[in-house]
């Protein structure tokens, strides 16, 4: 997949909570160039995950425009959007989000199954992705038979098996010890050096310092 530019223009996100409206994002203007290595920092509740969900098309803004590779996301049908998202964006979450009954190989293969990649090709790509993250000896382990670091590397393999041009990671090292966290950051850095756009949400300043660019978010305002 070709690298794409992500453009947020005056993005607002509001949540209605009873009588009050929570302004989770306020007029966010942000351009993420293809191949960028960006960290997003901010306190708990500042709007980081909200921003990430919009970047990943998992949620829609209340107002504003979002373009991916020049395409207006709001203009796509939900089917188009789902297909576009699965080809373009790989997600990594703090809590790994692996399916407990599937082994590492099956977890990595699952999105490829949804994309209707033929069985043989699926196997090949899942295997390559797992080797890539150093899990050649854990392919048939289920999540509860792996350490946290191994589970997160499985999640990275799942994210990269679709060959997306953008990786979005929400606190990818949040549940890991420092050695496993370092291994995860090394893989993300390497994927960026290969040309992928990598966006990492973190509240760890040490991690933010390793990325090329940082944006800070405070009360829904990006600076
Ligand atoms: N579905 C929702 N309904 C109502 N309010 C929400 C919803 N999701 C988030 N919020 C509110 O929006 C604000 C931003 O939340 P968000 O999850 O983006 O914060 P965050 O920066 O990711 O925090 P954390 O570091 O704790 O993960 C918070 O005030 C939160 O309470
Ligand atoms: Mg969050």
């Amino acid at each position: 997949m070709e690298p794409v530019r992500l453009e947020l223009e005056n993005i607002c996100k509001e949540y209605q909570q009873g009588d009050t409206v929570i302004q989770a994002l306020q007029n966010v203007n942000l351009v993420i160039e293809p191949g960028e290595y960006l960290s997003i920092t901010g306190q708990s509740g500042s709007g980081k995950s909200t921003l990430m969900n919009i970047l990943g098309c998992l949620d829609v803004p209340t107002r504003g425009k979002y373009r991916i590779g020049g395409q207006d996301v709001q203009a796509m049908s939900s089917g188009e959007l789902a297909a576009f998202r699965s080809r373009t964006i790989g997600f990594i979450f703090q809590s790994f989000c692996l399916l407990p009954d599937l082994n590492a190989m099956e977890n990595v293969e699952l999105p490829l199954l949804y994309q209707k990649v033929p069985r043989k090709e699926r196997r090949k790509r899942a295997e390559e992705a797992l080797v890539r993250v150093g899990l050649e000896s854990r392919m048939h382990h289920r999540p509860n038979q792996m350490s946290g670091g191994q589970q997160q590397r499985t999640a990275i393999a799942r994210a990269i098996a679709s060959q997306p041009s953008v990786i979005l990671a929400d606190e990818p090292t949040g549940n890991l010890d420092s050695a496993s966290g370092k291994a995860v950051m090394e893989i993300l850095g390497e994927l960026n050096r290969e040309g992928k756009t990598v966006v990492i949400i973190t509240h760890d300043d040490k991690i933010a310092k390793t990325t090329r660019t940082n944006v800070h978010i405070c009360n829904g305002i990006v600076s």
Side-chain angles (χ1 to χ4, degrees):
M1 181 92 205
E2 282 304 296
V4 289
R5 172 184 283 115
L6 311 178
E7 291 172 275
L8 298 171
E9 197 183 307
N10 285 317
I11 293 287
C12 298
K13 179 69 185 182
E14 293 169 358
Y15 293 109
Q16 186 82 36
Q17 199 69 317
D19 286 345
T20 56
V21 175
I22 298 168
Q23 308 261 0
L25 293 176
Q26 301 187 49
N27 293 308
V28 173
N29 288 292
L30 182 65
V31 177
I32 305 176
E33 295 294 343
E36 181 59 280
Y37 193 21
L38 173 75
S39 57
I40 298 173
T41 49
Q43 285 187 347
S44 178
S46 58
K48 302 183 298 297
S49 295
T50 303
L51 178 58
M52 169 91 127
N53 290 342
I54 289 175
L55 284 171
C57 307
L58 296 172
D59 201 355
V60 290
T62 310
R63 284 186 299 282
K65 238 188 174 59
Y66 181 31
R67 288 189 215 88
I68 301 183
Q71 282 195 67
D72 187 345
V73 169
Q74 283 96 315
M76 288 186 223
S77 72
S78 62
E80 276 173 341
L81 188 58
F84 183 71
R85 181 175 58 217
S86 74
R87 275 186 284 115
T88 312
I89 301 169
F91 294 93
I92 298 162
F93 301 98
Q94 176 172 359
S95 55
F96 322 136
C97 297
L98 299 170
L99 293 181
D101 296 333
L102 301 185
N103 67 28
M105 174 73 99
E106 292 160 345
N107 265 287
V108 175
E109 271 190 79
L110 195 60
L112 303 176
L113 183 73
Y114 290 138
Q115 288 172 39
K116 301 194 166 63
V117 176
R119 191 187 150 85
K120 243 181 145 173
E121 172 72 12
R122 233 164 46 214
R123 251 307 117 98
K124 181 168 162 278
R125 281 213 235 157
E127 237 175 68
E128 278 170 6
L130 283 162
V131 169
R132 172 76 207 269
V133 298
L135 287 178
E136 50 283 347
S137 63
R138 295 289 182 278
M139 291 187 185
H140 303 291
H141 286 232
R142 284 195 304 278
N144 69 1
Q145 299 168 323
M146 290 189 280
S147 70
Q150 291 167 344
Q151 290 179 59
Q152 192 60 304
R153 283 186 281 144
T154 304
I156 295 177
R158 179 182 56 188
I160 62 178
S162 309
Q163 299 162 348
S165 58
V166 179
I167 303 267
L168 299 178
D170 193 346
E171 295 279 2
T173 62
N175 281 330
L176 303 179
D177 63 49
S178 65
S180 308
K182 201 160 164 259
V184 161
M185 287 306 299
E186 272 165 17
I187 297 169
L188 292 175
E190 204 177 281
L191 291 168
N192 174 256
R193 286 193 292 280
E194 287 169 11
K196 289 191 198 302
T197 304
V198 175
V199 180
I200 299 171
I201 287 182
T202 182
H203 53 241
D204 184 340
D205 286 336
K206 279 206 292 278
I207 286 178
K209 284 205 180 79
T210 66
T211 63
R212 204 187 74 88
T213 332
N214 170 255
V215 296
H216 189 72
I217 177 164
C218 183
N219 290 324
I221 299 171
V222 167
S223 57

